[in-house]
């Protein structure tokens, strides 16, 4: 066993100071991802800063927004009355993730920050630029069935594994952060990074910065929403492709749409051009097919994930049909 120190501060500032000052310190919340990575030797923090005593679990209305504390459990968010009423797309995405047991441990902050599920990242015997910068990417020529078709680089082709993140980017959420230099707000679309030349850096969070909450502003996407996830098994499986679809409909015409895709890129992949196309169009399969064609522009697959080029548009069309049909 590799030794590490463990502290459990009661105040956010103490947690932030500890992680900011110590290069080897990390926050731990539910532990469902970090402990796995530590057991396999992929991550080796020398100090764990347990944040579970911090007062960050509330789900409440705040200045017209819905504010979800970073320590709110995935299951608590998915079952919360305010979330079910105002942001059912988020509840659907959360319920599509992991298993009931994991959702009872996993927190919102930890879910946002979870690391990629590329099998080479977990396998210390193989090169991986994300685990060891400069060592190479085994997935490029390897078994890349789960990997990206958008936004990849020759340094990394892994995908962001979170379901929740796909709904949050579609809903234009904002991540609230406290750090050594104070508080700041990061639009969800800017929180995660594409791999580029620095695939070891997943997000734009700085060392010592603590996610304190996520805000979702008031929006018209309560009724016509659907999160559709295609995976190898019904539970305990990450998305091959998933789609978060939200429509504002009036008399069969789309006033506006919000769309994002999962399982396809290193970050939650927002489909802005397809959204713009759908505005003002009738909510028909023909419109959805055209939107899907637009959404897939620029996609580039690898040897084992060619199927995502067909699966992607089909999941998008079905998610939109389901959303439009929802009562
Ligand atoms: C078998 C299995 C199947 C799974 N299937 C799915 C799935 O289908 N879909 C899906 O979306 N997820 C899935 N997951 C992942 C699961 O959702 C994540 O492990 C979980 O959300 C992580 O949350 P946590 O609180 O346990 O994070 P932790 O493991 O505690 O932390 C994860 C990371 O987040 C950082 N962190 C935690 N909180 C904060 C904070 N407030 N501020 C800054 N940094 C923070 C930690 O330092 C660490 O780097 C699965 C996991 C397992 C083990
Ligand atoms: S895809 Fe990314 S995580 Fe997977 S082996 Fe390549 S560099 Fe590592």
């Amino acid at each position: 066993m590799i030794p590490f120190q463990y502290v459990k501060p009661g105040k956010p500032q103490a947690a932030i100071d500890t992680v900011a000052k110590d290069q080897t310190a990390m926050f731990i919340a539910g532990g469902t991802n970090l402990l796995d990575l530590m057991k396999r030797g992929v991550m080796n923090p020398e100090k764990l800063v347990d944040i579970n005593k911090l007062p960050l679990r509330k789900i409440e209305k705040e200045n017209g927004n819905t504010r979800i504390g970073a320590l709110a459990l995935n299951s608590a968010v998915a079952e919360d009355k305010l979330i079910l009423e105002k942001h059912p797309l988020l509840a659907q995405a959360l319920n599509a993730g992991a298993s009931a047991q994991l959702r009872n441990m996993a927190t919102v902050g930890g879910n946002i920050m979870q690391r990629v599920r590329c099998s080479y990242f977990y396998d210390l015997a193989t090169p991986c630029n994300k685990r060891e910068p400069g060592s190479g990417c085994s997935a490029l020529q390897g078994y890349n069935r789960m990997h990206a078709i958008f936004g990849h680089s020759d340094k990394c082709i892994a995908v962001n594994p979170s379901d929740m993140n796909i709904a949050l980017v579609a809903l234009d959420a904002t991540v609230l952060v406290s750090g050594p230099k104070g508080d700041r707000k990061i639009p969800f679309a800017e929180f995660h990074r594409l791999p580029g030349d620095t695939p070891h850096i997943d997000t734009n969070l700085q060392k010592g910065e603590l996610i304190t909450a996520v805000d979702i502003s008031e929006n018209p996407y309560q009724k016509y929403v659907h999160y559709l996830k295609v995976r190898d098994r019904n539970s305990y499986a990450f998305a091959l492709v998933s789609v978060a679809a939200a429509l504002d409909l009036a008399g069969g015409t789309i006033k506006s749409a919000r769309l994002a895709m999962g399982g396809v890129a290193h970050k939650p992949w927002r489909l802005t051009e397809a959204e713009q196309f759908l505005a003002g169009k009738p909510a028909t399969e023909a419109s959805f097919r055209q939107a899907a064609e637009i959404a897939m522009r620029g996609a580039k697959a690898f040897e084992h994930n060619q199927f995502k080029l067909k699966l992607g548009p089909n999941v998008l069309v079905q998610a939109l049909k389901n959303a439009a049909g929802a009562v």
Side-chain angles (χ1 to χ4, degrees), residues 195-274:
D197 287 331
T198 52
H200 54 294
I201 309 174
D202 295 341
T203 72
N204 288 317
L205 205 66
Q206 303 297 311
K207 178 73 182 154
E209 281 188 320
L210 175 75
I211 298 172
T212 55
V214 170
D215 270 3
I216 310 174
S217 51
E218 196 74 30
N219 63 59
Y221 309 112
Q222 277 83 51
K223 197 168 174 191
Y224 301 105
V225 299
H226 196 80
Y227 185 76
L228 183 58
K229 175 177 179 181
V230 175
R231 49 188 153 175
D232 287 327
R233 294 183 304 264
N234 268 345
S235 184
Y236 270 116
F238 291 89
L240 291 166
V241 170
S242 68
V243 167
L247 296 172
D248 183 10
L249 282 181
T253 300
I254 300 166
K255 286 165 78 180
S256 66
R258 291 287 180 274
L259 291 172
M261 207 178 261
V264 293
H266 200 257
K267 61 188 283 180
W269 198 247
R270 180 82 181 260
L271 304 171
T272 319
E273 284 178 30

Coordinates of all heavy atoms in Angstrom, one line a residue, residues 195-274:
P195 N -7.9 18.1 -26.1 CA -6.5 17.6 -25.7 C -5.4 18.5 -26.3 O -4.4 18.7 -25.6 CB -6.5 16.2 -26.2 CG -7.6 16.1 -27.3 CD -8.6 17.1 -26.9
G196 N -5.5 18.9 -27.5 CA -4.4 19.6 -28.2 C -3.1 19.0 -27.9 O -2.9 17.8 -27.9
D197 N -2.1 19.9 -27.5 CA -0.7 19.4 -27.1 C -0.6 19.1 -25.6 O 0.5 18.8 -25.1 CB 0.3 20.4 -27.5 CG 0.5 20.4 -29.0 OD1 0.3 19.4 -29.7 OD2 0.8 21.5 -29.6
T198 N -1.7 19.4 -24.8 CA -1.6 19.2 -23.4 C -2.7 18.3 -22.9 O -3.5 18.7 -22.1 CB -1.7 20.6 -22.7 OG1 -2.9 21.2 -23.2 CG2 -0.5 21.4 -22.9
P199 N -2.7 17.0 -23.4 CA -3.8 16.1 -23.0 C -3.8 15.8 -21.5 O -4.9 15.2 -21.1 CB -3.5 14.9 -23.8 CG -2.0 14.9 -24.1 CD -1.7 16.4 -24.2
H200 N -2.7 16.0 -20.8 CA -2.8 15.7 -19.4 C -3.6 16.7 -18.6 O -3.9 16.5 -17.4 CB -1.3 15.7 -18.8 CG -0.5 16.9 -19.1 ND1 -0.2 17.3 -20.3 CD2 0.0 17.8 -18.2 CE1 0.5 18.4 -20.3 NE2 0.6 18.8 -19.0
I201 N -4.0 17.8 -19.2 CA -4.8 18.8 -18.5 C -6.2 18.7 -19.0 O -6.5 19.0 -20.1 CB -4.3 20.3 -18.7 CG1 -2.8 20.3 -18.4 CG2 -5.0 21.3 -17.9 CD1 -2.1 21.7 -18.8
D202 N -7.1 18.2 -18.1 CA -8.5 18.0 -18.5 C -9.4 19.2 -18.5 O -10.3 19.3 -19.3 CB -9.2 17.0 -17.6 CG -8.5 15.6 -17.6 OD1 -7.8 15.3 -18.6 OD2 -8.7 14.8 -16.6
T203 N -9.1 20.1 -17.6 CA -10.0 21.3 -17.3 C -9.3 22.6 -17.2 O -8.0 22.6 -17.1 CB -10.9 21.1 -16.1 OG1 -10.0 21.3 -14.9 CG2 -11.5 19.7 -16.0
N204 N -10.0 23.7 -17.1 CA -9.4 25.0 -16.9 C -9.4 25.4 -15.4 O -9.1 26.5 -15.1 CB -10.1 26.0 -17.7 CG -9.7 25.9 -19.2 OD1 -8.6 25.6 -19.5 ND2 -10.7 25.9 -20.1
L205 N -9.6 24.4 -14.5 CA -9.5 24.6 -13.1 C -8.0 24.8 -12.7 O -7.2 24.0 -13.1 CB -10.2 23.5 -12.3 CG -10.7 23.7 -10.9 CD1 -11.9 24.7 -11.0 CD2 -11.1 22.4 -10.3
Q206 N -7.7 25.7 -11.9 CA -6.3 25.9 -11.4 C -6.1 25.2 -10.2 O -7.0 24.8 -9.4 CB -6.0 27.4 -11.2 CG -6.3 28.3 -12.4 CD -5.4 28.0 -13.6 OE1 -4.2 27.8 -13.5 NE2 -6.0 27.8 -14.8
K207 N -4.8 24.9 -9.9 CA -4.4 24.2 -8.7 C -5.0 24.9 -7.4 O -4.8 26.1 -7.3 CB -2.9 24.1 -8.6 CG -2.3 23.5 -7.4 CD -2.4 22.0 -7.4 CE -1.9 21.3 -6.1 NZ -2.5 20.1 -5.8
G208 N -5.6 24.1 -6.6 CA -6.2 24.7 -5.3 C -7.6 25.2 -5.5 O -8.3 25.5 -4.5
E209 N -8.1 25.3 -6.7 CA -9.5 25.8 -6.9 C -10.5 24.7 -6.6 O -10.3 23.6 -7.1 CB -9.7 26.3 -8.4 CG -9.1 27.7 -8.5 CD -9.5 28.3 -9.9 OE1 -9.5 27.6 -10.9 OE2 -9.8 29.5 -9.9
L210 N -11.5 25.1 -5.8 CA -12.5 24.1 -5.4 C -13.8 24.5 -6.1 O -14.2 25.7 -6.1 CB -12.7 24.3 -3.9 CG -13.8 23.5 -3.2 CD1 -13.5 22.1 -3.1 CD2 -14.1 24.1 -1.8
I211 N -14.5 23.5 -6.7 CA -15.8 23.8 -7.2 C -16.7 23.8 -6.0 O -16.8 22.9 -5.2 CB -16.2 22.6 -8.2 CG1 -15.3 22.5 -9.4 CG2 -17.7 22.8 -8.6 CD1 -15.6 21.2 -10.2
T212 N -17.5 24.9 -5.9 CA -18.4 25.1 -4.8 C -19.9 24.8 -5.2 O -20.7 24.3 -4.4 CB -18.3 26.5 -4.2 OG1 -18.6 27.4 -5.2 CG2 -17.0 26.7 -3.6
A213 N -20.2 25.1 -6.5 CA -21.6 24.9 -6.9 C -21.7 25.0 -8.4 O -20.7 25.4 -9.1 CB -22.5 25.9 -6.3
V214 N -22.9 24.6 -8.9 CA -23.2 24.8 -10.3 C -24.5 25.6 -10.4 O -25.4 25.3 -9.6 CB -23.4 23.4 -11.0 CG1 -24.0 23.6 -12.4 CG2 -22.1 22.7 -11.1
D215 N -24.6 26.6 -11.2 CA -25.8 27.4 -11.4 C -26.4 27.1 -12.8 O -25.7 27.0 -13.8 CB -25.4 28.9 -11.4 CG -25.5 29.5 -10.0 OD1 -25.7 28.7 -9.1 OD2 -25.3 30.7 -9.9
I216 N -27.7 26.9 -12.8 CA -28.5 26.8 -14.0 C -29.5 27.9 -14.0 O -30.3 28.0 -13.1 CB -29.2 25.4 -14.2 CG1 -28.2 24.3 -13.9 CG2 -29.7 25.3 -15.6 CD1 -28.8 22.9 -14.0
S217 N -29.5 28.7 -15.1 CA -30.5 29.8 -15.1 C -31.8 29.3 -15.5 O -32.0 28.3 -16.1 CB -30.0 31.0 -15.9 OG -29.6 30.5 -17.2
E218 N -32.8 30.2 -15.3 CA -34.2 29.9 -15.7 C -34.2 29.7 -17.2 O -33.5 30.4 -17.9 CB -35.0 31.1 -15.3 CG -36.5 31.0 -15.3 CD -37.0 30.2 -14.1 OE1 -36.4 30.2 -13.0 OE2 -38.1 29.5 -14.3
N219 N -34.9 28.7 -17.7 CA -34.9 28.4 -19.1 C -36.3 27.8 -19.5 O -37.0 27.3 -18.6 CB -33.8 27.5 -19.5 CG -33.8 26.1 -18.9 OD1 -34.8 25.4 -19.0 ND2 -32.8 25.8 -18.1
P220 N -36.6 27.7 -20.8 CA -37.9 27.2 -21.2 C -37.9 25.7 -21.5 O -38.8 25.2 -22.1 CB -38.2 28.0 -22.5 CG -36.8 28.2 -23.1 CD -35.9 28.3 -21.9
Y221 N -36.9 25.0 -21.0 CA -36.7 23.6 -21.4 C -37.2 22.6 -20.2 O -36.4 22.0 -19.6 CB -35.3 23.3 -21.8 CG -34.8 24.2 -22.8 CD1 -33.8 25.2 -22.6 CD2 -35.4 24.3 -24.1 CE1 -33.4 26.1 -23.5 CE2 -35.0 25.2 -25.1 CZ -34.0 26.1 -24.7 OH -33.6 27.0 -25.7
Q222 N -38.5 22.7 -20.0 CA -39.0 21.8 -18.9 C -39.8 20.6 -19.5 O -39.8 19.5 -18.9 CB -40.0 22.6 -18.0 CG -39.3 23.4 -16.9 CD -38.8 24.7 -17.4 OE1 -39.6 25.4 -18.0 NE2 -37.5 25.0 -17.2
K223 N -40.4 20.8 -20.6 CA -41.4 19.8 -21.1 C -40.8 18.9 -22.2 O -40.9 17.7 -22.1 CB -42.6 20.6 -21.6 CG -43.8 19.7 -21.8 CD -45.1 20.6 -22.0 CE -46.3 19.7 -22.3 NZ -47.4 20.5 -22.8
Y224 N -40.2 19.5 -23.2 CA -39.8 18.7 -24.3 C -38.3 18.5 -24.2 O -37.5 19.1 -24.9 CB -40.1 19.5 -25.6 CG -41.6 19.8 -25.7 CD1 -42.1 21.0 -25.5 CD2 -42.5 18.7 -26.0 CE1 -43.5 21.3 -25.5 CE2 -43.9 19.0 -26.1 CZ -44.3 20.2 -25.8 OH -45.7 20.5 -25.9
V225 N -37.9 17.5 -23.4 CA -36.5 17.2 -23.2 C -36.3 15.7 -23.3 O -37.2 14.9 -22.9 CB -35.9 17.7 -21.9 CG1 -36.1 19.2 -21.8 CG2 -36.7 17.1 -20.7
H226 N -35.1 15.3 -23.7 CA -34.8 13.8 -23.6 C -33.2 13.7 -23.5 O -32.5 14.3 -24.3 CB -35.3 13.1 -24.8 CG -35.3 11.6 -24.5 ND1 -36.3 11.0 -23.7 CD2 -34.5 10.6 -24.9 CE1 -36.0 9.7 -23.7 NE2 -34.9 9.4 -24.3
Y227 N -32.8 12.8 -22.6 CA -31.4 12.4 -22.6 C -31.4 10.9 -23.1 O -31.9 10.0 -22.4 CB -30.8 12.5 -21.2 CG -29.3 12.2 -21.2 CD1 -28.4 13.1 -21.7 CD2 -28.8 10.9 -20.8 CE1 -27.0 12.7 -21.8 CE2 -27.5 10.6 -20.8 CZ -26.6 11.5 -21.3 OH -25.2 11.2 -21.4
L228 N -30.7 10.7 -24.2 CA -30.7 9.3 -24.8 C -29.3 8.8 -24.8 O -28.4 9.5 -25.3 CB -31.3 9.3 -26.2 CG -31.4 8.0 -26.9 CD1 -32.2 7.0 -26.1 CD2 -31.9 8.1 -28.3
K229 N -29.1 7.7 -24.1 CA -27.7 7.2 -24.0 C -27.6 5.8 -24.6 O -28.4 4.9 -24.2 CB -27.3 7.1 -22.5 CG -26.0 6.5 -22.2 CD -25.7 6.5 -20.7 CE -24.4 5.9 -20.3 NZ -24.1 5.9 -18.9
V230 N -26.7 5.6 -25.5 CA -26.6 4.2 -26.1 C -25.3 3.7 -25.5 O -24.2 4.3 -25.6 CB -26.5 4.3 -27.7 CG1 -26.2 2.9 -28.2 CG2 -27.8 4.8 -28.2
R231 N -25.4 2.4 -25.0 CA -24.2 1.8 -24.3 C -24.3 0.3 -24.5 O -25.3 -0.2 -24.9 CB -24.3 2.2 -22.8 CG -25.6 2.0 -22.2 CD -25.7 2.5 -20.8 NE -27.1 2.8 -20.5 CZ -27.5 3.2 -19.3 NH1 -26.6 3.3 -18.3 NH2 -28.8 3.5 -19.0
D232 N -23.2 -0.3 -24.1 CA -23.2 -1.8 -24.3 C -24.1 -2.6 -23.3 O -24.5 -3.6 -23.6 CB -21.7 -2.3 -24.1 CG -20.8 -1.9 -25.2 OD1 -21.4 -1.8 -26.4 OD2 -19.6 -1.6 -25.0
R233 N -24.3 -2.0 -22.1 CA -25.2 -2.7 -21.1 C -26.1 -1.6 -20.6 O -25.8 -0.4 -20.6 CB -24.4 -3.2 -19.9 CG -23.5 -4.4 -20.3 CD -22.8 -4.9 -18.9 NE -22.2 -3.8 -18.2 CZ -20.9 -3.5 -18.3 NH1 -20.1 -4.3 -19.1 NH2 -20.3 -2.5 -17.7
N234 N -27.2 -2.0 -19.9 CA -28.1 -1.1 -19.4 C -27.7 -0.3 -18.1 O -28.2 0.7 -17.7 CB -29.5 -1.8 -19.0 CG -30.4 -1.7 -20.2 OD1 -30.2 -0.9 -21.1 ND2 -31.4 -2.5 -20.2
S235 N -26.7 -0.9 -17.4 CA -26.2 -0.2 -16.2 C -24.6 -0.4 -16.2 O -24.1 -1.3 -16.9 CB -26.8 -0.9 -15.0 OG -26.4 -0.2 -13.8
Y236 N -24.0 0.3 -15.4 CA -22.5 0.2 -15.2 C -21.8 0.3 -16.6 O -20.9 -0.4 -16.8 CB -22.2 -1.2 -14.7 CG -22.1 -1.2 -13.2 CD1 -23.0 -2.0 -12.5 CD2 -21.1 -0.5 -12.5 CE1 -22.9 -2.1 -11.1 CE2 -21.0 -0.6 -11.1 CZ -21.9 -1.4 -10.4 OH -21.9 -1.5 -9.0
A237 N -22.3 1.1 -17.5 CA -21.6 1.3 -18.8 C -21.6 2.7 -19.2 O -22.6 3.4 -19.0 CB -22.3 0.4 -19.8
F238 N -20.4 3.1 -19.7 CA -20.3 4.5 -20.2 C -20.9 4.6 -21.6 O -21.1 3.6 -22.3 CB -18.8 4.9 -20.2 CG -18.3 5.0 -18.8 CD1 -17.7 4.0 -18.1 CD2 -18.4 6.2 -18.1 CE1 -17.3 4.1 -16.8 CE2 -18.0 6.3 -16.8 CZ -17.4 5.3 -16.2
A239 N -21.2 5.8 -22.0 CA -21.9 6.0 -23.3 C -21.0 5.7 -24.5 O -19.8 6.1 -24.5 CB -22.4 7.5 -23.4
L240 N -21.6 5.0 -25.5 CA -20.9 4.9 -26.8 C -21.2 6.3 -27.4 O -20.3 7.0 -27.9 CB -21.5 3.8 -27.6 CG -21.1 2.4 -27.1 CD1 -22.0 1.3 -27.7 CD2 -19.6 2.1 -27.3
V241 N -22.5 6.6 -27.5 CA -22.9 8.0 -27.9 C -24.1 8.3 -27.0 O -25.0 7.5 -26.8 CB -23.3 8.0 -29.4 CG1 -24.0 9.3 -29.7 CG2 -22.1 7.8 -30.3
S242 N -24.2 9.6 -26.6 CA -25.4 10.0 -25.9 C -25.7 11.4 -26.4 O -24.9 12.1 -26.9 CB -25.2 10.1 -24.4 OG -24.3 11.1 -24.0
V243 N -27.0 11.7 -26.2 CA -27.5 13.1 -26.7 C -28.4 13.7 -25.6 O -29.3 13.0 -25.1 CB -28.2 13.0 -28.0 CG1 -28.9 14.3 -28.3 CG2 -27.2 12.7 -29.2
A244 N -28.1 14.9 -25.3 CA -29.1 15.7 -24.5 C -29.8 16.6 -25.4 O -29.2 17.5 -26.1 CB -28.3 16.5 -23.4
A245 N -31.1 16.5 -25.5 CA -31.9 17.3 -26.4 C -33.0 18.1 -25.6 O -33.7 17.5 -24.8 CB -32.6 16.4 -27.5
A246 N -33.1 19.4 -25.9 CA -34.1 20.2 -25.2 C -34.7 21.1 -26.3 O -34.0 21.7 -27.0 CB -33.5 21.0 -24.1
L247 N -36.1 21.1 -26.3 CA -36.8 22.0 -27.3 C -37.7 22.9 -26.6 O -38.4 22.5 -25.6 CB -37.6 21.1 -28.2 CG -36.8 20.1 -29.1 CD1 -37.7 19.2 -29.9 CD2 -35.9 20.9 -30.1
D248 N -37.8 24.1 -27.1 CA -38.9 25.0 -26.7 C -39.9 25.0 -27.9 O -39.5 25.6 -29.0 CB -38.4 26.4 -26.5 CG -39.4 27.4 -26.0 OD1 -40.5 26.9 -25.7 OD2 -39.1 28.6 -25.9
L249 N -41.0 24.4 -27.7 CA -42.0 24.2 -28.9 C -43.2 25.0 -28.7 O -43.7 25.2 -27.6 CB -42.4 22.7 -28.9 CG -41.5 21.7 -29.4 CD1 -42.2 20.3 -29.3 CD2 -41.1 22.0 -30.9
A250 N -43.7 25.6 -29.8 CA -45.0 26.3 -29.8 C -45.8 25.8 -31.1 O -45.4 26.1 -32.2 CB -44.8 27.8 -29.8
G251 N -46.9 25.1 -30.8 CA -47.7 24.6 -32.0 C -46.9 23.9 -33.0 O -47.1 24.1 -34.2
G252 N -46.0 23.0 -32.6 CA -45.3 22.2 -33.5 C -44.1 22.9 -34.2 O -43.4 22.3 -35.0
T253 N -43.9 24.1 -33.8 CA -42.7 24.8 -34.4 C -41.6 25.0 -33.2 O -42.0 25.3 -32.1 CB -43.1 26.2 -34.9 OG1 -44.0 26.0 -35.9 CG2 -41.9 27.0 -35.4
I254 N -40.4 24.8 -33.6 CA -39.3 24.9 -32.6 C -38.9 26.4 -32.5 O -38.5 27.0 -33.4 CB -38.1 24.1 -33.1 CG1 -38.5 22.6 -33.3 CG2 -36.9 24.2 -32.1 CD1 -37.4 21.8 -34.1
K255 N -39.2 26.9 -31.2 CA -38.7 28.3 -31.0 C -37.2 28.3 -30.8 O -36.5 29.2 -31.3 CB -39.4 28.9 -29.7 CG -40.9 29.2 -30.0 CD -41.7 29.4 -28.8 CE -41.5 30.8 -28.1 NZ -42.3 30.9 -26.9
S256 N -36.7 27.4 -30.0 CA -35.3 27.2 -29.8 C -34.9 25.8 -29.4 O -35.8 25.1 -28.9 CB -34.8 28.3 -28.8 OG -35.3 27.9 -27.5
A257 N -33.7 25.4 -29.6 CA -33.2 24.1 -29.2 C -31.9 24.1 -28.5 O -31.1 25.1 -28.7 CB -33.1 23.3 -30.5
R258 N -31.7 23.2 -27.6 CA -30.4 23.0 -27.0 C -30.0 21.5 -27.2 O -30.7 20.6 -26.8 CB -30.5 23.3 -25.5 CG -30.7 24.7 -25.1 CD -29.5 25.6 -25.4 NE -29.7 27.0 -25.1 CZ -30.2 27.9 -25.9 NH1 -30.5 27.5 -27.1 NH2 -30.4 29.1 -25.5
L259 N -28.7 21.4 -27.7 CA -28.3 20.0 -28.0 C -26.8 19.8 -27.6 O -26.0 20.7 -27.8 CB -28.3 19.8 -29.5 CG -29.7 19.7 -30.2 CD1 -29.5 19.7 -31.7 CD2 -30.4 18.5 -29.8
A260 N -26.5 18.6 -27.0 CA -25.1 18.3 -26.8 C -25.0 16.8 -26.9 O -26.0 16.0 -26.7 CB -24.7 18.7 -25.4
M261 N -23.8 16.4 -27.2 CA -23.5 14.9 -27.5 C -22.4 14.5 -26.5 O -21.4 15.2 -26.3 CB -23.1 14.8 -28.9 CG -23.4 13.4 -29.5 SD -22.9 13.3 -31.3 CE -24.4 13.5 -32.1
G262 N -22.5 13.2 -26.0 CA -21.5 12.6 -25.2 C -20.9 11.4 -25.8 O -21.4 10.9 -26.8
G263 N -19.8 11.0 -25.3 CA -19.1 9.8 -25.9 C -18.4 10.1 -27.2 O -18.0 9.2 -27.9
V264 N -18.2 11.4 -27.5 CA -17.7 11.7 -28.9 C -16.5 12.6 -28.8 O -15.8 12.8 -29.8 CB -18.8 12.3 -29.8 CG1 -19.9 11.3 -30.1 CG2 -19.4 13.6 -29.2
A265 N -16.2 13.3 -27.7 CA -15.2 14.2 -27.6 C -14.6 14.3 -26.2 O -15.2 13.8 -25.2 CB -15.7 15.6 -28.0
H266 N -13.4 14.9 -26.1 CA -12.7 15.1 -24.9 C -13.4 16.0 -23.9 O -13.1 16.0 -22.7 CB -11.3 15.7 -25.2 CG -10.3 15.5 -24.2 ND1 -9.9 16.5 -23.3 CD2 -9.5 14.4 -23.9 CE1 -8.9 16.1 -22.6 NE2 -8.6 14.8 -22.9
K267 N -14.4 16.8 -24.4 CA -15.2 17.6 -23.6 C -16.7 17.4 -24.0 O -16.9 16.9 -25.1 CB -14.8 19.1 -23.7 CG -14.9 19.7 -25.1 CD -14.3 21.1 -25.2 CE -15.2 22.1 -24.5 NZ -14.7 23.5 -24.6
P268 N -17.6 17.8 -23.1 CA -19.0 17.7 -23.5 C -19.2 18.5 -24.8 O -18.8 19.7 -24.8 CB -19.8 18.3 -22.3 CG -18.8 18.4 -21.2 CD -17.4 18.4 -21.8
W269 N -19.8 17.9 -25.8 CA -19.8 18.4 -27.1 C -21.1 19.1 -27.5 O -22.1 18.5 -27.8 CB -19.5 17.3 -28.2 CG -19.0 17.8 -29.5 CD1 -19.7 17.7 -30.7 CD2 -17.8 18.4 -29.8 NE1 -18.9 18.2 -31.7 CE2 -17.8 18.7 -31.2 CE3 -16.7 18.8 -29.1 CZ2 -16.7 19.3 -31.8 CZ3 -15.6 19.4 -29.7 CH2 -15.6 19.7 -31.1
R270 N -21.1 20.4 -27.4 CA -22.3 21.2 -27.7 C -22.5 21.3 -29.2 O -21.5 21.6 -29.9 CB -22.1 22.6 -27.0 CG -23.3 23.6 -27.2 CD -24.4 23.3 -26.2 NE -25.5 24.3 -26.5 CZ -25.7 25.4 -25.8 NH1 -24.9 25.7 -24.8 NH2 -26.7 26.2 -26.1
L271 N -23.7 21.3 -29.6 CA -24.0 21.2 -31.1 C -24.7 22.6 -31.5 O -25.9 22.6 -31.9 CB -24.9 20.0 -31.4 CG -24.3 18.7 -31.0 CD1 -25.3 17.6 -31.2 CD2 -23.0 18.4 -31.8
T272 N -24.0 23.6 -31.4 CA -24.6 25.0 -31.6 C -25.1 25.2 -33.0 O -26.2 25.8 -33.1 CB -23.5 26.0 -31.3 OG1 -22.7 25.6 -30.2 CG2 -24.1 27.4 -31.0
E273 N -24.4 24.7 -34.0 CA -24.9 25.0 -35.4 C -26.2 24.2 -35.7 O -27.1 24.7 -36.3 CB -23.9 24.6 -36.4 CG -22.7 25.6 -36.5 CD -21.6 25.2 -37.5 OE1 -21.9 24.5 -38.4 OE2 -20.5 25.6 -37.2
A274 N -26.3 23.0 -35.1 CA -27.6 22.3 -35.3 C -28.7 23.0 -34.5 O -29.8 23.0 -35.0 CB -27.4 20.8 -34.8

